[in-house]
Amino acid sequence: MPLTPNREVFITCAVTGSGGTQDRSPHVPRSPREIAESAIAAAKAGAAIVHCHVRDPETGAPSRDPAMFREVTERIRDSATDVVLNLTAGMGGDMVFGDVENPLPLKAQGTDMGGATNRMAHIADCLPEICTLDCGTMNFAEADYVMTNTPGMLRAMGGMMTKLGVKPEIEAFDTGHLWFAKQLVEEGTLDSPALVQLCMGVPWGAPDDLNTFMAMVNNVPADWCWSAFSLGRHQMPFVAASVLAGGNVRVGLEDNLWLGKGQLATNAQLVERAVTIIETLGSRVIGPDEVRARLGLTKRAPATVSA
């Protein structure tokens, strides 16, 4: 296939994530204030979009607390730095099974299951331009942990996103997730053209070899907008690979803690490195207003709290 690089690239910074990285680097933000400040620094460095989870400020454990999402949103919106806000809606589908002979009951530690309305509560309150829709179920890295997103749940959450006017970012961890995403568009649950994030190298989804990556790229409809990332030491090579394959890029501490051997990174440093790679390839990094125009996004304030 011919090489068709993307000449106008947007960068998403995944600011903190929900993985167990909070004690592996002092730069992983925990509190809403720290998350917002790190997101703003990433935007100043060149990120057009910031993708935010929230954490317990004391322990760093992942959280779905709507009040913390609201604080992050308000701090970012009230800052002098413009950026497209992308909040996770991927939490609330975590199942940790017992041992192989006694898989039930589920283990309380790590299991977090919520209904569609519950999982979408902070999105309805904060009204970001984008929120994520993890478009499938998969065995996910640690032990007997399964990330569950059933067809019914995805239809319900996707419909809520569309009704709210929040653009779903379809997170695809394998080709089957793209297959179902196309079904959601065909049914009218999601609008077209859709936005996709190709999630490479996450155990046990699509591995981050280039053959698999191009299979994922080739399964994205031609009129959809897509971005991609990989983990750890492969984060920056995938910046180049994504641009060369015609896509956009994601970097950040959710996916990688390191700038180089023995050098822990900040989110801003990872974005700066991505900007250098993109510009060295002859492409231009675009900002939040251009992203909104390209994706049809509307920047809004959070919902007014009723009396």
Side-chain angles (χ1 to χ4, degrees):
M1 60 181 292
L3 194 65
T4 53
N6 184 6
R7 293 306 182 193
E8 294 192 331
V9 179
F10 63 76
I11 299 171
T12 296
C13 181
V15 176
T16 190
S18 61
T21 58
Q22 65 269 23
D23 297 319
R24 293 171 53 198
S25 170
H27 304 305
V28 175
R30 297 188 180 195
S31 71
R33 177 184 61 80
E34 291 170 344
I35 292 166
E37 288 177 351
S38 192
I40 292 163
K44 289 179 178 178
I49 303 173
V50 289
H51 171 57
C52 297
H53 291 243
V54 295
R55 294 176 178 267
D56 181 294
E58 298 300 322
T59 67
S63 174
R64 292 193 288 125
D65 184 348
M68 287 199 282
F69 278 106
R70 178 79 179 216
E71 183 179 346
V72 168
T73 297
E74 290 179 342
R75 286 180 177 276
I76 292 173
R77 291 297 195 222
D78 291 344
S79 76
T81 301
D82 186 28
V83 68
V84 173
L85 183 59
N86 175 345
L87 297 182
T88 184
M91 309 289 289
D94 303 334
M95 301 177 71
V96 181
F97 289 84
D99 63 52
V100 295
E101 299 297 342
N102 300 283
L104 297 177
L106 299 173
K107 291 185 177 179
Q109 184 174 1
T111 294
D112 176 29
M113 296 294 291
T117 300
N118 178 262
R119 292 176 68 176
M120 286 290 294
H122 62 293
I123 303 300
D125 180 50
C126 295
L127 297 176
E129 289 102 325
I130 300 171
C131 69
T132 56
L133 185 66
D134 296 344
C135 221
T137 295
M138 63 179 280
N139 294 328
F140 201 101
E142 304 95 345
D144 284 326
Y145 162 42
V146 177
M147 177 183 75
T148 62
N149 294 287
T150 65
M153 181 67 74
L154 291 170
R155 287 187 172 99
M157 292 177 65
M160 292 176 189
M161 294 170 191
T162 299
K163 186 175 181 179
L164 287 168
V166 176
K167 182 82 169 179
E169 181 189 64
I170 296 161
E171 292 209 336
F173 295 82
D174 217 331
T175 51
H177 297 180
L178 290 171
W179 185 6
F180 191 67
K182 286 182 273 192
Q183 179 67 23
L184 291 177
V185 170
E186 183 177 332
E187 294 172 358
T189 302
L190 304 184
D191 293 333
S192 184
L195 172 65
V196 175
Q197 184 72 250
L198 302 178
C199 309
M200 307 300 299
V202 178
W204 301 104
D208 58 4
D209 63 90
L210 290 178
N211 285 334
T212 304
F213 175 55
M214 290 311 301
M216 296 281 278
V217 170
N218 290 334
N219 272 282
V220 178
D223 62 333
W224 291 15
C225 184
W226 65 272
S227 181
F229 72 90
S230 187
L231 306 182
R233 68 183 184 276
H234 293 150
Q235 184 173 84
M236 292 305 162
F238 260 78
V239 170
S242 298
V243 173
L244 292 173
N248 302 282
V249 306
R250 167 171 143 172
V251 296
L253 294 176
E254 177 172 352
D255 309 318
N256 167 46
L257 299 178
W258 302 94
L259 192 65
K261 187 174 182 180
Q263 184 181 4
L264 289 167
T266 66
N267 278 309
Q269 288 173 326
L270 293 171
V271 173
E272 288 167 355
R273 179 67 57 84
V275 169
T276 297
I277 293 169
I278 292 164
E279 292 181 342
T280 300
L281 292 171
S283 297
R284 182 174 71 89
V285 176
I286 66 174
D289 281 341
E290 290 175 281
V291 170
R292 291 188 186 103
R294 179 184 294 184
L295 299 180
L297 307 177
T298 301
K299 182 179 180 180
R300 294 177 289 175
T304 302
V305 178
S306 59

